[in-house]
Structure formats: structure tokens, C-alpha cells
Amino acid sequence: MPIKKLIEVALPLEKINEQAAREKSIRHGHPSTLHLWWARRPLAAARAVIWASLVDDPSSHPEQFPTEEEQEKERKRLFNILERLVVWENSNDEDILAESKAEIMKSTGGNPPALLDPFAGGGAIPLEAQRLGLEAHAHDLNPVAVMINKAMIEIPPRFAGKPPVNPDDRGKFGMNTYKGAAGLAADVKYYGELMKKKAFEKIGHLYPEVKDENGVPHTVIAWIWARTVKCPNPACGCQMPLVKSFDLSTKKNHEYHADYSVKGNKLIFKAEQGKSNKTGTIGRKGATCPVCDSPVDFPYIRNCGQEGKMSAQLMAIVAEGGNGRIYLSPNEIHENCANVEKPDEVPNAALPYNPRNFNTPNYGLTGFADLFTNRQLTTLTSFSDLLTDIAEQVTKDTLATGTPDDNIPLEDGGSGALAYAQAVCVYLAFVIDKLSDYNSSSCSWHSSGEKLRNTFGRQAIPMVWDYTEANPFCNSTGSYNNMLEWVVKCVTNFKSPAQGYVRQFDAQSDCELRNIMISTDPPYYDNISYADLSDFFYVWLRNSLKTIYPKVFRTMLVPKTEELVATQYRFDSAETARSFFESGMLSACKQMYIYARDDIPVTIYYAYKQSETDEESSQTASTGWETMLSAIINAGFSITGTWPMRTEMATRTIGMGTNALASSIVLVCRKRPQDASQITRRNFINELKRELRPALKKLQSSNIAPVDLAQSAIGPGMGVFSKYKAVLEADGTPMSVRAALAVINSELDIFFNEQDGELDRESRFCVDLFTQKGFDTIDFGTADTLARAKNTSVNKIAATGALYAQKGEVHLVDRKDLPEKPNESMTWLFTQQLTYAMEKGGIDASAEVAAKALTGLQQAKDLIYRLYQLCERKGWTNEAYAYNNLIVSWNDIIQKANDLKNAGLVEDDDQQKFDGI
């Protein structure tokens, strides 16, 4: 029996989730700001999972911790280390890291394993493995992901402790003052500034200052353009601008808009103070000519774009003022500066046919170069071309420090003058890549924040009508200085001396590593088209680095054929796409089985939630989950645990008012014994009942968000299913994963239905009525029959204020109309009072209600989970969100309620606490 690791028994989940969510708001120095990547795992979650997968659980050492009390005491000590380890500010704390590494060494006999992430992506997992002292291996098929990982775990350790070579910093401090990659970061900053200076000498005239009405010059931040097409009305013929809004700034007390007048067949724009009284010219249904009011449909606009008849007109200029942004009218000088020829050679390739993520080809923007203005192309290619000069200068300065030149390139493992110069250029290429994200014609102006939106505000490249062109030579959003600063701060934070190894490799093939640790975050079915999206950056990276990493950039675009996603448009049907993903994921999991050590669990992140209904069973299934679980189990693993890692803040746009999944479910897996036995369906269900109930109670007690409970319950359920070689149906055939998931979900329903039996009679009536009608009305006779079945009466419940019953009509009273005084004797009423307080006043208001309770909080908490499950099944999204939000904040509510009681701020003679609820 292998030694159980901490992750297989217990985790301080709340603290990990708190830090994982908090991390999304941390920018400066965070690796996510080195280069954009989609769906990154938070460092806190990755760090916690790796550490807890290596450290033994105290129950595995009864000789040291013979009693449960001693085991729990030791577990709390380990939790204390982990809770400090996951805090962002402690990422490079030498004392905490040393303490954490010591526990790893103790649990691994002084011989910690190497770690492989075969789907490395944004690199959070290998980076955290390296931080914890492990030899880290990062593999990915996507060359953009490969370069991100090289920049994080392969290049910095190779030049760790090396002082800067640039003439400004050289010799300023002692040789030992540059820890980690601090010296490299200093050189990236120096030569980055040098590259900007050279670029400005070459193209600075394209970005002139602008004079205000008093003739005072200002640095331009951005130019706001409107795409235009000719009005199809022959009596008009106006070159009509396609504008979503004429408001330039909606910031309070600083409102500006672009007003216009008509001159001939053209609009003349003028920046004015105040909000616009005109609506935009384009919306979801098409456009309207601002001159003749003729409606213009999208087919016409598409034809104009495809025939090259779409142009652009300058609408306003945003500049730096003494007290914030100023908005100025267009002028001929600035229009002419943007009117430059397209460079002879620009990185380009055809945009993919991917209607879900790319809209621009419909309007004639069919190549990657079409996503940029000619001025932007000139700027980006100028910076990229300068990398050759910078590399020569870095090499020269490096040799001047006495560093030998071994003429071994960076790609081949070199560490001399040539390799160092190439390393500096890698990070400057990232600066150019980041600049492209903020300098395309898919960028727009954020009028309320008065800032630039980058190209990838979401996982798509949309068609932007009124786009914004940034000034790379200013100091505001989208500038070169900002991009350079982001990269420098990231490199400064790379301090690990442990060497990392990065390969461009297909996860389905054998990389020949053996007896290692596996932790990975595989692609989520068809959720993100990584290869298609990353081509946007690949064409620029290739332009900058193809001579430094010729093997990585040997293809014109990111490889697509082998990419393990079920992107339907690449296949002839959804079924073919699904089959491709299933077989590929099974192959990848089989390789992981070959690589993995027997004594350390494999951890796999999964966050996909796609529901569909099985017509035969009427059961709801999740294609992504089913596919992943099937691959893991059929590859020979059993699932020993699941942990919901909450990685999003509650205020994120997609999460507000929805029940969107906000967690990655971490699947903890072990190799299933070769001699595992079989079991019948009946015995499987019996064992599932025994295992699932205590597991669900434990999950609820940890305040797991209701939105995550069903998928987290898959862990203990699939743990029973996957430990057997097969679960046999009545006809002797093996049970499928889909059928097992249906059984688990059925047992989950039974669990919540059984909890209804613990409610008071009046609350059971309310739950039944809610299940049938929500807050809608039913007739008195039906309600009376339902109430009698619960051994209560409609009038009795109406007397509590929870039910409306008049004129033959009955319905549950809306939360906002309930009595203000908390009534914990009726769990339904008390739960709705708590929920309403949370909706209207947040944690403080809910705590005031909770503080007046004596014994009713646990029942209310159980009911909240039950109500969430009901709402999710019925598609009542807003209602489900209200209950989910309450549980997510439960600990804070209870803590605040206790504070109120202890401070004597609650009118209650009984000062009983309820910390454990």
C-alpha cells in the first residue's frame, strides 16, 4: 500500500482558494504579465498541489503519530507551512521556501523527483515545481507556449547570479549582489531602452505631438479611428463612419464626446465636452447612415470590406494633459502621419476559418497583417528588425566583461557571450509581442476607464469598428515603456537556481522520461482554440527569433493537426471532433502512466463544464468531464481524490449573475493495481452510498461553493468506480463512465432529498412548492393538498410571512417582502432572510441576521446547497447565483456574526458561538 500524501487526505482549501482568487488582481512582476496566455493556472494553486502531492500525510506514519489527535496536530503544522507558502508575497521568501523544501526532502528520502507537465501552456506548474527545488520539465506542442516556458524556467537559471554587462550598470555593485536573474533583468531594461531610442530615431516622426487650441503641445496617447463605408443610398453617398458610441470619456466630471458636422459626402469630427446626444451608427442588427438615416445591413458592410472598399477616418485624438486625459479634434497633420506605405516585408499568414473566435475575415481582413494599420506594421517591424543590432551590441559588451565566447547558440545550451545576447533578445521579442497586443486595429477605447483595451480582451479577435491606435512612444497604456517594464519586473522575480528543461513535444508521443512526477493542466475539450489564437503572436515571435530558435520556429504557423482540442470546424462533424479528442487524450494519459512514479500521485486539472442531455436516460452529462475521466481510468489510473481550486474572483464579468464554474477541479490519481478485481453494479451502488455521503458532508463543511459541489462529488464517486478493473452491468458488460456519472448524480440527488427530511414541516412544504413553481402562483386547493401531505397547513405557513395565500391564490413570498425579524425556527424563512441580506447588504448585513441565530445556521446552510442544486437543474441562473454567493462568503459571515455577538451588539441573552458551522 503506497504512502498517502497530504493531497489525498486533507488540504487548507479555503486559504489556497483565497490566494488563487486574489492572484488574479496581482500584476507587477507576476509571470502572467511576461506574455499573454489563455486559461493560466494560478501559481498559488499549482504550488499547493505540487507540495501537497510530495509531502506525506501524518496518517501514513502511525509509528510517529499513533493517535488521530496527534495526526491532526501534525496536519495543522503542515497546513501552516502551506498557508504561508501560497501567499504571493512569499513566492521568493527564502526562509519559507527552505522550510517547504525541507518537508519535501523528508517525505522523499532526500531524493525528490523531477516533474513533467506534458501540457505546459502558460508554465505555472513547471515554474512552481522549479521554485520548490524540483527539476522541471515543460513540454508543449505550441511554440508560443514553448517560448514562454523557456523564458521562465530554462533561460533564467542558465544565467543566474550573472551581473549585468551593459556599460551603465557594469561595475556599479559587487559581483554577488545580483541574485537570480536580476542581472539579466537589468540588461533587458538597458538594451530595451536602447532599442526604443534607435526605433524613435527611425520612426518617431510618425508619432508627433498635438497642439491644443492654445497652441500648447501635448504627447499623444492614442488616436481613435472609425471604419467607414459608402452609404448605399445613391442620393446620399456619404462616407459613413461605423461607430458604436460617440462618447470618448464617460468618467464623471470629465465627459467628452466626438461631435460631427457634414461637409460634402464626409463627416467632420470635433471633440467636445459633455456626453453625446447622438447614438452610435452601428449595432447588432446593422448600421444607420448618420446623414440620411438609411438602414445599412451587415451583408452590404461585409461586401464593402471584402471588396477593399472599407476605409477609416480619424475621429479624435487623446493626449496627456496636466490633470488627466484631454480630447482633441482631428487635424490634417495627424491624419497624414498615419498615411504611410505598408512595409515591404511583414509577418503574415491567412487567418483561420474559425467563426467562433475570428470575425474579421467576414469583412475582408483575412490575414494577420490585415489586423494592423500600416503605421502599426511599420512600427512593429522596425522594432523587430532592430533585434539584430541589439544582439551585436550585447555580444560586444558581454565580451568586454571577460565572458568567453563559446559560439554555442542559446538553443543548443550555450551560456557564453553569443547565448547571453540571444537571451536578452528573447525577452525583447516578448516586449514586441506584448506591443502587438496593444497596437492592432482590434484594440478599442475604454471610455469609462479612459484607457486602451488590448486585442485579446477575451479569447477571440472580434471586428472592432471604432478602433484605437496607441502611441508606442508615450508613457500610457499600450506604450513600449509599459511593455518593457512588465517584462523586466517578471525577469527580476525569476530567482530559482534549479535548471528547467523545455521541449516542443506532442503529449501523445513517448518523451522517454521515466519514474517522474506528473502534474498537468490539459486542454478543455473545445473550450479554447490555443493554436489559432496564438498564431497572432507566433508570426511576430517567428519574425524576431527564427534565427535564434530555428527548430522551434521551423513552421510558418503554430502546428494545428496534432493539437488536442475538439475544435469542430477542423472536422467533418462534432462526432469526429469528439472521437479525435477522446483517442488523443487516452494516448496522452497512457504516456503519463508510463512516466509516473508509483509512490507519488498524478494530478490533473480540469475546469470544463459542458452539459448535454442523454435522450435515452434523460440524464445530464458533461462531455469534457466524461472524456477526461474515461481517458484517465482507461489508461490505468484510479482517482483517489478531487479538490476544487477556486481560481476566479466573484466579481469577474462572466461570473456576475451566472453560475459559471469558477474552479479547476484537481483530480488526484494513482496507478491502479494490475490485479484489481471486478464488481457488480449492485455492489458498486452499495459501496458508493457508504463512501459518498460522508464525503459530501465533508465537502459541505469545508464551504465548497455549491457550483462546484456536483463536480467535486465525482471524486469520491469515481474513486469507488475507478479502483476496480470493471463494474459489471446486469448483462455482464462493463459499465461506461457516462453510466457511472449518472449513478453518482442520482446518489447526489438522493443525498439532498434525504436532507429535506431533517427540515421542519413548513420548510419541507416551501421546498416542494419552490421545486414545482418557484415563486409563481398556484391555486389554493393544490397548495392545501401539498401542505396536508406535510402535516401542516397553508394558513399556518402564511402566518409566518413566508407564504401569500389570498383570494384562492398561493405563492412563496419574494425575499424582499419577507418579515425583517429573523425566524430560525422555520429554516426556509431564515434561509431566505439570510439570502436577501447578502443580496442587498453583503457580508455585514448577512452577519447581522446570522448573529441572532442560536441553532438554525447548520440547517440553513444545508438547505442553501439543496436550493442551489434545484435552481441549477431548472436553469434559474440568478436564483442559483444568490445561493452560491452566500456559501462562498459563509465563513466571513460567521466570523463577522461572532464579532457582533462578542461585542454585545446583538440583542440576545445567549452569547453562544457557532464557529464550527
Side-chain angles (χ1 to χ4, degrees):
M1 178 69 69
I3 291 176
K4 279 193 173 183
K5 298 297 180 177
L6 188 63
I7 199 169
E8 296 175 292
V9 179
L11 286 178
L13 197 58
E14 185 179 354
K15 184 67 173 181
I16 296 169
N17 288 342
E18 174 190 313
Q19 291 301 315
R22 173 175 172 262
E23 199 176 305
K24 292 297 180 84
S25 63
I26 295 169
R27 310 304 297 158
H28 293 281
H30 194 280
S32 64
T33 61
L34 179 67
H35 192 288
L36 188 148
W37 190 257
W38 302 270
R40 287 175 180 265
R41 292 305 100 217
L43 304 184
R47 198 178 308 163
V49 167
I50 295 169
W51 191 82
S53 297
L54 291 169
V55 174
D56 295 346
D57 185 74
S59 63
S60 295
H61 297 285
E63 72 284 359
Q64 297 180 48
F65 312 104
T67 67
E68 287 189 12
E69 290 76 12
E70 288 175 299
Q71 291 172 16
E72 189 59 30
K73 182 179 179 182
E74 173 63 7
R75 209 170 276 131
K76 285 183 178 179
R77 185 187 72 83
L78 295 174
F79 281 7
N80 178 264
I81 296 173
L82 186 51
E83 287 173 357
R84 288 182 285 124
L85 180 65
V86 296
V87 176
W88 161 253
E89 287 77 10
N90 296 340
S91 297
N92 288 313
D93 187 294
E94 293 181 4
D95 292 337
I96 293 174
L97 288 175
E99 187 179 6
S100 302
K101 291 175 184 177
E103 293 297 333
I104 293 174
M105 297 297 281
K106 185 166 67 175
S107 292
T108 58
N111 185 29
L115 178 142
L116 168 66
D117 181 353
F119 296 100
I125 294 171
L127 177 66
E128 291 309 314
Q130 187 181 61
R131 195 190 307 276
L132 292 171
L134 307 184
E135 179 184 292
H137 294 261
H139 293 178
D140 205 291
L141 183 65
N142 191 310
V144 177
V146 169
M147 288 311 304
I148 292 171
N149 279 273
K150 283 184 178 292
M152 293 200 304
I153 72 166
E154 191 173 86
I155 295 173
R158 194 177 301 178
F159 303 104
K162 181 181 176 66
V165 302
N166 72 79
D168 280 5
D169 291 317
R170 190 192 312 158
K172 276 186 179 178
F173 306 101
M175 293 291 286
N176 297 322
T177 58
Y178 288 93
K179 293 183 179 181
L184 176 61
D187 281 333
V188 172
K189 184 176 189 296
Y190 175 86
Y191 293 106
E193 290 172 348
L194 178 63
M195 187 164 76
K196 178 195 169 186
K197 180 181 177 183
K198 289 177 175 289
F200 188 77
E201 291 171 355
K202 186 177 179 181
I203 57 172
H205 63 281
L206 299 179
Y207 297 93
E209 292 183 322
V210 62
K211 292 182 179 180
D212 62 22
E213 62 274 10
N214 298 316
V216 178
H218 298 269
T219 299
V220 174
I221 294 172
W223 294 265
I224 300 177
W225 298 83
R227 299 189 198 274
T228 64
V229 295
K230 185 178 180 180
C231 175
N233 180 0
C236 177
C238 161
Q239 198 63 26
M240 50 179 278
L242 304 173
V243 181
K244 292 188 73 174
S245 172
F246 290 106
D247 284 317
L248 304 172
S249 171
T250 57
K251 193 173 183 179
K252 189 175 181 180
N253 300 323
H254 195 250
E255 292 90 353
Y256 276 86
H257 69 277
D259 203 357
Y260 61 83
S261 57
V262 181
K263 186 176 182 181
N265 67 343
K266 186 179 179 182
L267 267 63
I268 306 300
F269 284 104
K270 184 179 182 181
E272 298 279 6
Q273 285 189 316
K275 291 184 178 181
S276 176
N277 58 5
K278 298 182 176 72
T279 58
T281 62
I282 192 165
R284 291 183 177 275
K285 296 182 179 180
T288 303
C289 177
V291 177
C292 68
D293 287 332
S294 295
V296 182
D297 59 20
F298 277 117
Y300 174 80
I301 298 171
R302 292 188 191 106
N303 287 335
C304 288
Q306 291 166 8
E307 293 173 5
K309 296 178 181 178
M310 183 181 289
S311 55
Q313 180 181 355
L314 186 59
M315 195 163 66
I317 301 171
V318 189
E320 295 176 356
N323 295 306
R325 312 284 195 242
I326 59 172
Y327 297 85
L328 302 171
S329 303
N331 62 58
E332 190 174 348
I333 293 174
H334 283 260
E335 288 179 339
N336 290 338
C337 283
N339 187 21
V340 298
E341 292 294 321
K342 184 177 181 179
D344 293 333
E345 294 185 13
V346 296
N348 196 18
L351 285 159
Y353 171 73
N354 182 342
R356 187 177 74 170
N357 301 110
F358 295 83
N359 292 335
T360 63
N362 294 330
Y363 301 93
L365 307 181
T366 58
F368 282 99
D370 298 330
L371 301 177
F372 301 88
T373 68
N374 287 353
R375 176 162 57 177
Q376 289 170 333
L377 289 171
T378 300
T379 299
L380 291 168
T381 53
S382 296
F383 275 112
S384 188
D385 292 345
L386 283 168
L387 282 174
T388 301
D389 295 343
I390 295 299
E392 291 176 358
Q393 187 63 52
V394 180
T395 302
K396 179 182 176 182
D397 292 343
T398 306
L399 291 171
T401 67
T403 300
D405 190 1
D406 55 14
N407 283 319
I408 300 176
L410 187 64
E411 187 175 43
D412 295 337
S415 58
L418 171 63
Y420 187 71
Q422 292 177 334
V424 172
C425 287
V426 166
Y427 296 106
L428 295 182
F430 276 31
V431 175
I432 296 168
D433 247 27
K434 290 176 70 66
L435 201 61
S436 71
D437 187 28
Y438 283 85
N439 286 266
S440 83
S441 64
S442 290
C443 297
S444 57
W445 186 250
H446 192 293
S447 60
S448 60
E450 294 191 286
K451 60 184 179 181
L452 186 76
R453 284 192 185 98
N454 60 322
T455 303
F456 287 101
R458 57 189 179 91
Q459 297 156 3
I461 298 181
M463 186 66 185
V464 175
W465 303 111
D466 36 348
Y467 65 86
T468 303
E469 193 176 8
N471 179 6
F473 297 108
C474 73
N475 290 308
S476 299
T477 309
S479 70
Y480 178 90
N481 283 352
N482 279 358
M483 305 305 133
L484 179 61
E485 182 184 8
W486 290 121
V487 172
V488 169
K489 286 182 176 179
C490 284
V491 179
T492 303
N493 276 342
F494 296 141
K495 298 185 183 297
S496 175
Q499 187 59 52
Y501 302 90
V502 184
R503 290 176 65 185
Q504 185 181 10
F505 203 82
D506 179 6
Q508 300 177 59
S509 302
D510 189 350
C511 70
E512 299 182 351
L513 290 171
R514 297 292 185 271
N515 203 32
I516 59 173
M517 178 182 183
I518 303 283
S519 186
T520 192
D521 180 23
Y524 304 150
Y525 202 66
D526 67 344
N527 209 25
I528 300 175
S529 301
Y530 293 96
D532 289 341
L533 294 170
S534 56
D535 274 337
F536 177 92
F537 296 112
Y538 179 82
V539 295
W540 291 105
L541 271 182
R542 186 175 188 273
N543 194 63
S544 300
L545 299 177
K546 61 188 176 185
T547 59
I548 296 177
Y549 280 99
K551 297 172 188 172
V552 175
F553 295 102
R554 64 187 180 277
T555 56
M556 292 301 295
L557 289 173
V558 172
K560 307 289 191 307
T561 305
E562 307 94 332
E563 186 188 26
L564 199 50
V565 293
T567 307
Q568 188 174 333
Y569 80 89
R570 292 184 191 163
F571 302 90
D572 55 13
S573 68
E575 185 56 39
T576 306
R578 176 175 177 167
S579 177
F580 169 81
F581 184 80
E582 285 180 344
S583 61
M585 190 56 70
L586 176 58
S587 296
C589 288
K590 284 181 175 178
Q591 288 301 147
M592 291 184 220
Y593 186 93
I594 293 171
Y595 305 148
R597 281 174 61 152
D598 294 336
D599 60 338
I600 295 173
V602 170
T603 48
I604 300 174
Y605 295 73
Y606 213 71
Y608 192 71
K609 189 179 184 183
Q610 172 181 299
S611 295
E612 58 187 36
T613 301
D614 188 307
E615 293 181 3
E616 294 183 7
S617 64
S618 297
Q619 289 285 343
T620 299
S622 174
T623 302
W625 266 107
E626 181 188 334
T627 301
M628 177 54 63
L629 292 169
S630 296
I632 292 169
I633 293 168
N634 292 334
F637 290 105
S638 62
I639 296 169
T640 60
T642 53
W643 295 101
M645 296 291 179
R646 180 155 294 277
T647 61
E648 304 289 352
M649 293 176 287
T651 54
R652 69 199 179 109
T653 303
I654 194 173
M656 292 300 290
T658 74
N659 63 347
L661 184 71
S663 292
S664 292
I665 305 299
V666 179
L667 300 165
V668 185
C669 313
R670 289 273 193 174
K671 290 184 176 181
R672 187 167 55 248
Q674 297 289 337
D675 59 352
S677 61
Q678 299 182 148
I679 190 175
T680 65
R681 177 189 180 95
R682 182 175 181 178
N683 288 337
F684 165 60
I685 293 175
N686 289 336
E687 187 172 346
L688 184 63
K689 288 179 183 293
R690 291 195 302 270
E691 297 287 337
L692 195 56
R693 280 160 176 71
L696 289 169
K697 284 287 188 183
K698 185 176 179 181
L699 285 168
Q700 284 186 333
S701 66
S702 69
N703 297 319
I704 182 175
V707 71
D708 301 320
L709 181 62
Q711 284 176 304
S712 296
I714 288 174
M718 294 308 296
V720 176
F721 177 79
S722 61
K723 74 180 182 180
Y724 293 102
K725 182 179 180 180
V727 174
L728 302 179
E729 298 279 15
D731 61 0
T733 59
M735 179 183 285
S736 68
V737 167
R738 172 166 288 203
L741 288 172
V743 172
I744 293 168
N745 286 330
S746 177
E747 289 299 317
L748 191 63
D749 287 341
I750 293 171
F751 171 78
F752 284 114
N753 286 332
E754 287 175 349
Q755 286 191 329
D756 284 357
E758 300 174 8
L759 293 172
D760 56 273
R761 289 170 291 186
E762 290 70 33
S763 293
R764 288 204 303 275
F765 166 87
C766 291
V767 171
D768 274 5
L769 182 56
F770 181 76
T771 303
Q772 294 179 34
K773 300 294 290 185
F775 290 97
D776 292 340
T777 298
I778 65 171
D779 64 86
F780 183 88
T782 303
D784 186 57
T785 301
L786 183 62
R788 290 175 184 277
K790 304 297 181 188
N791 197 22
T792 185
S793 70
V794 170
N795 291 335
K796 180 178 180 182
I797 301 169
T800 68
L803 196 68
Y804 171 91
Q806 293 182 25
K807 300 177 182 179
E809 294 184 344
V810 176
H811 65 75
L812 291 167
V813 173
D814 191 275
R815 282 193 287 273
K816 69 178 186 297
D817 299 321
L818 291 173
E820 290 186 9
K821 184 178 180 181
N823 182 355
E824 62 176 319
S825 64
M826 183 180 172
T827 304
W828 166 270
L829 180 55
F830 184 56
T831 299
Q832 296 303 326
Q833 289 170 326
L834 277 170
T835 306
Y836 180 69
M838 186 68 187
E839 287 177 319
K840 294 303 178 185
I843 291 171
D844 287 348
S846 293
E848 289 183 16
V849 176
K852 297 173 183 177
L854 299 178
T855 59
L857 282 162
Q858 184 60 57
Q859 290 90 337
K861 184 180 177 184
D862 290 343
L863 180 56
I864 294 166
Y865 278 104
R866 168 70 167 141
L867 294 176
Y868 174 84
Q869 298 298 322
L870 284 172
C871 294
E872 186 185 39
R873 294 286 173 87
K874 291 180 175 292
W876 299 340
T877 301
N878 290 335
E879 189 72 8
Y881 177 75
Y883 301 126
N884 188 71
N885 196 31
L886 190 59
I887 289 294
V888 169
S889 305
W890 192 262
N891 276 355
D892 291 334
I893 292 169
I894 299 303
Q895 180 60 54
K896 181 71 175 178
N898 269 328
D899 291 344
L900 292 172
K901 289 179 78 82
N902 291 335
L905 299 178
V906 178
E907 295 180 7
D908 195 323
D909 294 333
D910 190 335
Q911 293 294 305
Q912 174 183 344
K913 296 183 182 180
F914 32 81
D915 290 322
I917 298 173

